[in-house]
Amino acid sequence: MVFTRFVSRFRRFRRNEDGSVAMEAMIILPALFWAFLVCFSIFDTFRMYNINQKAAYTIGDAITRETVPIDSAYLNGMRDMFEYLAMSPGESSLRISSMIWSEVDDRYYATWSRAVGSRGPLSDDDIVALRDRLPTMPDLEQVVLVETWTNYDPPFKTGLEEQVIENFVFTRPRFAPFVCWDSCDNMQQVLENITPVETY
């Protein structure tokens, strides 16, 4: 009896098409508003990743066009320029590393590595660990690695957490065989320690 009454009322409720637009709007509008904020936050996150990547490529391109040794003032200037291009909300970190490939030793060697911000320079062991992420190069070819880190906080708290945008960009020198730090003496020392390829 009770079950029959329940089924009857349920069928009557299912056939009923009366409703209140205001009530339905109150139910659905918060969900629509939250979905809009989520979409905006995701779009802004991808936008910031894209801007940071372009800024890192710009820094790498500028450094690899240098024909004279660079120094700490130049590195600080590059970090300032990166923060301007990337519209960084806070302090960013920048690391520039120069490495050379030895075909005989089958490994990369660090010629120099400098950093500004919260990150430290790379060592030879660090570069060995990065081998799978570095390009294949001819013997004694140099590549300049630019790494950047920027904190990014989404504009709305919709589930996306604060994160660090990291870039890993490598470029070969454009107008000179090597990009040197302070002087090219360290480059000469590294070259003297690398086993040359035998030519016949």
Side-chain angles (χ1 to χ4, degrees):
M1 183 72 177
V2 176
F3 179 75
T4 304
R5 189 180 304 142
F6 172 79
V7 171
S8 176
R9 290 182 178 178
F10 177 76
R11 287 175 179 169
R12 195 163 50 244
F13 173 77
R14 188 178 62 180
R15 289 194 301 267
N16 190 353
E17 296 181 356
D18 294 339
S20 171
V21 174
M23 187 64 66
E24 292 174 358
M26 288 179 60
I27 294 172
I28 198 65
L29 276 179
L32 287 177
F33 187 66
W34 180 83
F36 172 78
L37 294 182
V38 169
C39 291
F40 183 87
S41 296
I42 292 174
F43 174 82
D44 190 67
T45 301
F46 278 106
R47 183 180 69 89
M48 289 304 297
Y49 268 86
N50 186 38
I51 290 174
N52 273 261
Q53 187 178 55
K54 288 179 179 178
Y57 272 106
T58 301
I59 298 301
D61 186 64
I63 291 174
T64 53
R65 291 176 184 270
E66 295 297 333
T67 56
V68 296
I70 63 177
D71 55 17
S72 297
Y74 183 96
L75 184 62
N76 288 324
M78 285 292 102
R79 200 267 294 269
D80 292 342
M81 186 170 77
F82 172 78
E83 290 183 344
Y84 172 75
L85 293 174
M87 298 185 293
S88 176
E91 184 174 337
S92 301
S93 296
L94 172 68
R95 178 164 62 203
I96 311 296
S97 305
S98 167
M99 56 198 72
I100 193 168
W101 170 256
S102 171
E103 186 175 332
V104 173
D105 299 335
D106 191 33
R107 59 167 293 180
Y108 293 91
Y109 286 94
T111 53
W112 56 267
S113 180
R114 298 293 186 275
V116 57
S118 61
R119 309 286 171 152
L122 290 178
S123 65
D124 274 330
D125 292 336
D126 295 328
I127 290 178
V128 169
L130 292 174
R131 173 171 177 157
D132 292 340
R133 301 180 65 185
L134 295 172
T136 301
M137 302 191 301
D139 188 49
L140 301 184
E141 181 81 10
Q142 186 199 33
V143 67
V144 175
L145 173 64
V146 175
E147 296 172 275
T148 64
W149 295 267
T150 305
N151 292 325
Y152 172 71
D153 190 14
F156 301 105
K157 303 299 183 183
T158 56
L160 293 176
E161 302 294 333
E162 182 177 351
Q163 53 200 289
V164 177
I165 300 177
E166 178 182 353
N167 286 289
F168 186 93
V169 175
F170 44 81
T171 315
R172 67 182 302 273
R174 308 296 182 118
F175 304 129
F178 304 107
V179 176
C180 300
W181 178 265
D182 272 344
S183 71
C184 289
D185 294 341
N186 55 347
M187 181 69 67
Q188 188 62 37
Q189 293 173 1
V190 172
L191 290 174
E192 289 174 356
N193 294 329
I194 295 177
T195 307
V197 174
E198 295 183 6
T199 56
Y200 299 95

